[in-house]
Amino acid sequence: MRIEQESDGVSASRKHLVFAYYVTGHGFGHATRVAEVVRHLILAGHDVHVVTGAPDFVFTSDIQSPRLFIRKVLLDCGAVQADALTVDRLASLEKYSETAVKPRATILETETEWLNSIKADLVVSDVVPVACRAAADAGIRSVCVTNFSWDFIYAEYVMAAGHHHRSIVWQIAEDYSHCEFLIRLPGYCPMPAFRDVIDVPLVVRRLHKSPKEVRKELGIPDNVKLVILNFGGQPSGWKLKEEFLPSGWLCLVCGASDSQDLPPNFKKLAKNAYTPDIIAASDCMLAHILQETAFGKNYASDKLSGARRLRDAIVLGYQLQRAPGRDIAIPEWYATAENQLGHSPRHSSVDDECSIFSSHTEDFEILHGDVQGLSDTVAFLKSLAELDEKHTRRERKAAASLFNLDEEIFVTRAPGRLDVMGGIADYSGSLVLQMPIREACHVALQRIHPSKHRLWKHAQARQNDRGDKPTAVLQIVSFGSELSNRGPTFDMDLSDFKDGEKPISYEKAKKYFAQDPSQKWAAYVAGTILVLMNELGVRFEDSISMLVSSAVPEGKGVSSSASVEVASMHAIAVAHGLNISPRDLALLCQKVENHIVGAPCGVMDQMASACGEANKLLAMICQPAEIVGLVEIPSHIRFWGIDSGIKHSVGGADYGSVRIGTFMGLKMIKSRASEVLAETHANGLNRDEVENDDMELLNKEASLDYLCNLSPHRYEALYAKEIPEHVVGGTFLEKYTNHNDPVTVIDEKRTYGVRAPTIHPIYENFRVKTFKALLTSATSIDQLSSLGELLYQCHYSYSACGLGSDGTDRLVQLVQDFQHSAASISEGGTLCGAKITGGGSGGTVCVIGRNCLKSNQQIFEVQQRYKRATGYLPFIFEGSSPGACKFGYLKIRRRAARNHV
């Protein structure tokens, strides 16, 4: 606020101030509220310039003063509504863009000049974003008076209708950030752009007439019940009928068009009717209000309230922090921590996809496939379009020469997965339930004739030393390398994968990639080429350039490695015309991880990444990989993943030793079954004395291929007492020779747990089957609590195997605390279960709960409590996306009009 200097040099506030009051163009409610505030400012002796698109009568009907100045300018449009209850989201975003974005520079210049011309002391904005920025440009302080902000509202529109307008949200937030503080009205929504807040009571206009006077003027007898239909000057969109009202009632309709015919028990109100008086004279009012904000201050004063809506409001936020090519800088106050809040997945309709794509990636034309409304795919394509720009980061500079953008480029996408049920029982043949998550890996690939391949300097030098004709070279750039301990680039001559005319062995390849720890990551990508050479006999004559960009966090137990493998192999396959089924693609990727990377994982992760579908659980029997269906997630149930911050790796010793213990247990059970059969025959018992069914069961168990094919009751009846708690590797080998697991090796000196790793898959298979059946059962509190109990049982079974961790145990306990709290019980159940996932020993916890606002609030509070206890802010996984094969692939090239000379 400007300060004048008094004659004695002491600063003092002027008694007479000039206010510039900006009013949003959305509905009359804002203008009528402003009118009441303006009236009081004028009564206090101040000048007020109102900038509005509302009719003059809204202000002049109650304010007759030369201190009131009305300037008819519309600087935002609010929401475009077909009627009071129907919002056209995409039209709203487009109109705002036309109204406030495209002419932004002109608006700021005009408003800055005008504010200085009237010598404004303070700018007040009833939710007009650009007014705050204009005030800052003019060197004038500003405040906002509102109970919602347009970044909150438009973010939902962006999710539902127009991802290509996402920059609007951040521009509005940046404008609001210039306010000194927010004067917050009751019934407010989350507004994270504002730094300081002052809460005030509801602002309403005063009454001019008594209810009796109003009824008399309208000619309505006292015995008639009166209802007012008021939707902020908007028509309600309903066809009003006489039978809508009980006998003896009359409805006064605000905003009815002149041409609209009303039944005899409905009456139009004049456009300039003073509604506060009429509302006071009515018996009831029918209007619209956001359900989530109707609770007022008690609802919103809690810092957790509206957590779900807050996440929706900043849908672009933390995802965009990791995504390359974001539209504009994300405001600092939003980006307090990476991934502080997750967000719900909302994809635009198919009809919007073309416009979404063209808005962000007009540099390319799609020759095959579509983006399916996936904002991360759009962002990846945008990053490709920007490769030829000048960059300073090493990975970007390397990628700049990777592709010829005028030639075809293949793009694939593979998500990570949330292990809902099954986990480490996959290698024992269990049924598993896996959900593909929102976060995914993208790969761009181009085939290039060796003579045309633009090689990095050292790769070119290597070719020159050979002196032969150009040979095929693989060049890979990995985005995000600065976040991990790995080199940003990798290259090799594809001939290095050959030993004469044959492909090299997997063991030799494993040693090749292990030479340099900073480039071991390339095994996940380049290893797919060797597997295709070995397993399918594919010959690679062309050079290959690949760009890998993954948003799947590493070491959190959500299959970051599988997503890279699947996206890479899928890209290589489609670029070379290979027709590989989703199932076979996953099995081939498992070979990469088992034999080249050296991680003894099952195939569950790769299957979920390759074959999953959005918002469904992939049900698969891992014998080795038979998909038995896709399970719809009921609308009243939601899954979350919460990262413990403890790095997880399926290559770790604990995972491997538990797997070894499981295969030891399988070998012991088979051996025991064979002994029982031998004893039966040795005792001379015939089939009359021994039930045929028992003999068949023993024969099956003697040749048991997967431990999960043994039922819990058979294990308890015949084998539980035979399985030791621990065994030394050498002792086991002396008796059983081997454990028949091709991807692990027993250390003779090491002691292995056997009983718990053996029990886990047997009971886990039963738990997963029960879980799958419960998902399709009738909705009830018992259904949710039973599903949650199965997760808890799984979690503690992991711990018994030695795969627990302090972090995951803490998260599970926090979920239990909320489940058994009075607040949760009063809500009819919220969060109801949690378990460690994947390979265990850290990583992510899967949580199940009722799909409601309270559950989301509790997830947020679990996150915050965990941070207070450990200092680590967990990443929250929420939402789903299609698997690699459901997404398909894109074939793109730069548009001719955009070609660089």
Side-chain angles (χ1 to χ4, degrees):
M1 191 177 295
R2 288 195 178 103
I3 302 296
E4 289 190 334
Q5 296 292 326
E6 294 186 347
S7 59
D8 62 357
V10 179
S11 296
S13 298
R14 291 163 50 186
K15 293 184 178 179
H16 168 263
L17 302 175
V18 177
F19 290 86
Y21 210 135
Y22 287 77
V23 188
T24 184
H26 181 69
F28 285 177
H30 299 269
T32 56
R33 178 170 67 207
V34 168
E36 184 64 13
V37 178
V38 168
R39 186 175 70 84
H40 281 82
L41 289 174
I42 290 175
L43 287 174
H46 306 302
D47 288 355
V48 183
H49 294 256
V50 178
V51 183
T52 181
D56 289 0
F57 72 80
V58 175
F59 302 92
T60 58
S61 62
D62 203 32
I63 306 172
Q64 302 295 328
S65 171
R67 293 187 179 279
L68 172 65
F69 304 87
I70 298 178
R71 178 168 169 251
K72 300 304 286 291
V73 177
L74 182 65
L75 296 180
D76 68 13
C77 59
V80 175
Q81 296 179 239
D83 56 59
L85 301 178
T86 306
V87 174
D88 187 333
R89 295 176 173 87
L90 186 56
S92 299
L93 294 168
E94 289 175 345
K95 186 173 181 180
Y96 185 86
S97 182
E98 293 294 328
T99 304
V101 177
K102 292 181 180 178
R104 177 177 175 82
T106 302
I107 289 173
L108 288 173
E109 182 180 355
T110 301
E111 296 308 303
T112 299
E113 183 179 345
W114 176 75
L115 287 169
N116 283 320
S117 72
I118 66 169
K119 298 183 178 179
D121 293 287
L122 183 70
V123 170
V124 185
S125 171
D126 193 320
V127 89
V128 179
V130 74
C132 307
R133 176 55 186 269
D137 288 353
I140 302 169
R141 293 181 179 179
S142 62
V143 298
C144 259
V145 182
T146 184
N147 59 358
F148 76 90
S149 57
W150 285 116
D151 55 336
F152 171 78
I153 300 298
Y154 284 155
E156 294 190 339
Y157 294 2
V158 166
M159 288 187 297
H163 291 261
H164 55 301
H165 287 296
R166 61 183 184 175
S167 61
I168 286 175
V169 176
W170 295 118
Q171 187 64 73
I172 291 173
E174 198 276 335
D175 284 345
Y176 286 145
S177 74
H178 293 286
C179 280
E180 289 292 313
F181 54 88
L182 165 67
I183 298 174
R184 191 165 57 181
L185 299 166
Y188 54 83
C189 300
M191 291 178 280
F194 298 96
R195 292 163 293 182
D196 297 313
V197 177
I198 298 174
D199 286 307
V200 298
L202 189 65
V203 177
V204 297
R205 288 183 289 173
R206 61 174 180 160
L207 298 180
H208 291 167
K209 300 173 183 177
S210 68
K212 193 168 186 178
E213 289 174 309
V214 172
R215 282 178 173 261
K216 184 176 180 180
E217 288 183 4
L218 294 175
I220 301 171
D222 292 339
N223 63 340
V224 173
K225 292 289 187 181
L226 198 59
V227 58
I228 181 171
L229 185 63
N230 184 5
F231 286 93
Q234 293 275 354
S236 66
W238 299 332
K239 182 175 176 57
L240 302 173
K241 299 179 181 180
E242 184 174 356
E243 58 266 28
F244 284 0
L245 293 177
S247 176
W249 281 75
L250 176 68
C251 181
L252 302 177
V253 182
C254 299
S257 65
D258 294 334
S259 60
Q260 185 178 4
D261 292 325
L262 297 180
N265 51 349
F266 289 78
K267 180 181 178 68
K268 294 180 185 178
L269 284 172
K271 298 290 186 183
N272 60 350
Y274 191 74
T275 52
D277 288 344
I278 300 172
I279 291 172
S282 302
D283 296 282
C284 65
M285 179 174 72
L286 182 61
H288 65 92
I289 187 168
L290 288 174
Q291 177 185 355
E292 287 81 3
T293 61
F295 297 91
K297 185 173 180 180
N298 287 337
Y299 164 77
S301 60
D302 183 349
K303 66 178 181 179
L304 305 181
S305 296
R308 166 81 184 282
R309 298 296 299 274
L310 176 56
R311 281 202 305 282
D312 291 349
I314 58 173
V315 60
L316 311 174
Y318 302 105
Q319 182 70 13
L320 283 180
Q321 289 181 50
R322 299 194 305 273
R326 58 181 182 263
D327 296 292
I328 60 175
I330 296 173
E332 182 181 358
W333 58 92
Y334 269 107
T336 53
E338 182 183 7
N339 309 310
Q340 181 171 349
L341 296 172
H343 50 79
S344 303
R346 303 241 185 132
H347 303 309
S348 62
S349 66
V350 175
D351 293 338
D352 292 332
E353 290 169 9
C354 292
S355 61
I356 293 170
F357 179 82
S358 62
S359 174
H360 279 297
T361 56
E362 60 271 7
D363 299 78
F364 293 111
E365 59 179 320
I366 297 182
L367 305 175
H368 178 274
D370 59 64
V371 300
Q372 300 185 25
L374 294 165
S375 60
D376 60 340
T377 301
V378 173
F380 180 68
L381 294 176
K382 185 173 175 63
S383 71
L384 290 179
E386 296 172 345
L387 285 181
D388 53 1
E389 298 179 2
K390 289 185 177 180
H391 299 283
T392 57
R393 285 159 53 189
R394 183 182 169 192
E395 63 185 37
R396 299 280 171 166
K397 291 173 69 175
S401 61
L402 204 56
F403 302 119
N404 179 353
L405 299 181
D406 299 324
E407 301 294 334
E408 294 176 353
I409 297 174
F410 295 86
V411 176
T412 54
R413 177 188 187 278
R417 65 94 186 95
L418 181 64
D419 168 33
V420 175
M421 286 292 286
I424 58 169
D426 61 340
Y427 54 72
S428 295
S430 178
L431 173 69
V432 297
L433 296 173
Q434 306 296 305
M435 184 181 81
I437 59 176
R438 169 185 279 288
E439 290 74 17
C441 173
H442 285 85
V443 168
L445 181 145
Q446 189 171 63
R447 291 178 60 181
I448 308 167
H449 190 276
S451 63
K452 299 180 180 179
H453 199 183
R454 290 183 293 178
L455 299 177
W456 296 322
K457 290 181 179 179
H458 61 277
Q460 183 64 57
R462 192 170 61 236
Q463 293 252 334
N464 293 339
D465 289 342
R466 290 182 174 180
D468 300 326
K469 64 179 181 179
T471 58
V473 174
L474 170 65
Q475 293 189 151
I476 309 170
V477 174
S478 172
F479 276 179
S481 58
E482 71 278 6
L483 301 177
S484 304
N485 185 25
R486 65 170 186 265
T489 63
F490 174 85
D491 67 275
M492 64 178 290
D493 296 333
L494 286 177
S495 59
D496 289 346
F497 272 156
K498 298 185 71 175
D499 187 0
E501 291 300 313
K502 294 182 179 180
I504 63 174
S505 68
Y506 290 144
E507 186 60 33
K508 190 173 182 178
K510 183 179 177 181
K511 293 178 180 177
Y512 177 90
F513 288 110
Q515 295 177 96
D516 183 352
S518 70
Q519 293 199 324
K520 188 176 181 181
W521 62 268
Y524 297 98
V525 183
T528 61
I529 293 176
L530 181 60
V531 168
L532 289 172
M533 292 170 67
N534 266 305
E535 305 300 326
L536 300 184
V538 180
R539 296 175 63 87
F540 294 94
E541 305 294 341
D542 286 339
S543 288
I544 298 173
S545 288
M546 299 177 73
L547 173 63
V548 181
S549 178
S550 181
V552 185
E554 297 176 27
K556 300 187 185 301
V558 289
S559 299
S560 58
S561 59
S563 65
V564 171
E565 291 159 355
V566 171
S568 298
M569 185 171 286
H570 194 206
I572 293 166
V574 297
H576 290 81
L578 304 177
N579 186 17
I580 303 175
S581 70
R583 178 180 180 275
D584 289 343
L585 182 72
L587 290 170
L588 290 170
C589 288
Q590 184 195 19
K591 289 183 180 294
V592 175
E593 187 133 1
N594 286 170
H595 303 305
I596 299 178
V597 176
C601 70
V603 73
M604 172 184 77
D605 298 353
Q606 290 81 5
M607 287 291 287
S609 184
C611 309
E613 292 188 18
N615 301 311
K616 296 178 182 179
L617 299 182
L618 179 75
M620 179 181 71
I621 296 176
C622 304
Q623 300 185 18
E626 302 300 329
I627 296 175
V628 295
L630 292 158
V631 183
E632 292 277 356
I633 300 174
S635 60
H636 67 286
I637 291 174
R638 170 164 278 173
F639 295 100
W640 298 264
I642 307 179
D643 162 40
S644 68
I646 299 173
K647 192 169 179 63
H648 147 93
S649 171
V650 295
D654 286 339
Y655 178 90
S657 65
V658 170
R659 175 167 176 148
I660 289 172
T662 302
F663 277 86
M664 285 178 167
L666 173 61
K667 188 69 175 275
M668 291 175 179
I669 287 171
K670 292 170 67 175
S671 177
R672 179 56 184 159
S674 297
E675 289 174 0
V676 174
L677 280 172
E679 290 170 1
T680 301
H681 293 301
N683 292 333
L685 298 177
N686 57 41
R687 288 190 174 272
D688 293 332
E689 295 171 302
V690 180
E691 292 289 339
N692 288 337
D693 290 344
D694 287 344
M695 294 292 293
E696 289 180 10
L697 283 172
L698 285 169
N699 277 308
K700 287 181 180 179
E701 289 156 6
S703 58
L704 197 63
D705 48 359
Y706 292 100
L707 194 53
C708 286
N709 289 337
L710 181 66
S711 63
H713 76 273
R714 287 289 293 180
Y715 170 78
E716 295 293 348
L718 295 178
Y719 307 110
K721 295 179 181 179
E722 306 296 326
I723 306 299
E725 187 171 346
H726 299 92
V727 67
V728 176
T731 303
F732 175 87
L733 291 174
E734 286 178 7
K735 182 173 182 180
Y736 298 102
T737 307
N738 61 65
H739 67 319
N740 299 119
D741 180 17
V743 298
T744 58
V745 177
I746 295 175
D747 182 345
E748 293 187 14
K749 297 180 179 180
R750 180 166 182 174
T751 299
Y752 293 92
V754 179
R755 182 179 300 162
T758 301
I759 292 173
H760 177 80
I762 294 172
Y763 279 87
E764 182 71 356
N765 189 43
F766 174 78
R767 285 190 289 263
V768 181
K769 289 179 179 178
T770 306
F771 192 95
K772 181 174 178 287
L774 279 170
L775 280 175
T776 58
S777 66
T779 302
S780 67
I781 294 176
D782 287 342
Q783 178 203 31
L784 270 171
S785 62
S786 297
L787 289 168
E789 178 61 29
L790 290 169
L791 260 66
Y792 287 139
Q793 289 183 18
C794 174
H795 177 77
Y796 293 113
S797 184
Y798 262 76
S799 297
C801 292
L803 293 176
S805 73
D806 290 342
T808 52
D809 286 348
R810 184 184 294 274
L811 285 169
V812 170
Q813 185 59 53
L814 285 170
V815 170
Q816 290 183 14
D817 291 345
F818 279 109
Q819 177 183 358
H820 302 301
S821 67
S824 178
I825 295 170
S826 67
E827 290 278 340
T830 49
L831 305 183
C832 55
K835 62 175 278 286
I836 195 171
T837 64
S841 298
T844 293
V845 164
C846 174
V847 181
I848 186 174
R850 189 157 62 88
N851 186 10
C852 65
L853 177 63
K854 192 68 176 179
S855 295
N856 282 279
Q857 294 171 355
Q858 291 179 353
I859 288 290
F860 177 72
E861 179 62 14
V862 167
Q863 180 194 50
Q864 296 304 311
R865 290 189 183 183
Y866 190 83
K867 180 185 178 183
R868 290 195 293 269
T870 67
Y872 176 80
L873 184 69
F875 186 110
I876 294 179
F877 297 94
E878 183 177 6
S880 183
S881 66
C885 296
K886 189 69 175 178
F887 175 81
Y889 68 93
L890 303 178
K891 184 163 67 173
I892 64 172
R893 70 180 171 208
R894 183 161 53 188
R895 292 183 185 277
R898 304 282 297 191
N899 285 354
H900 293 200
V901 178

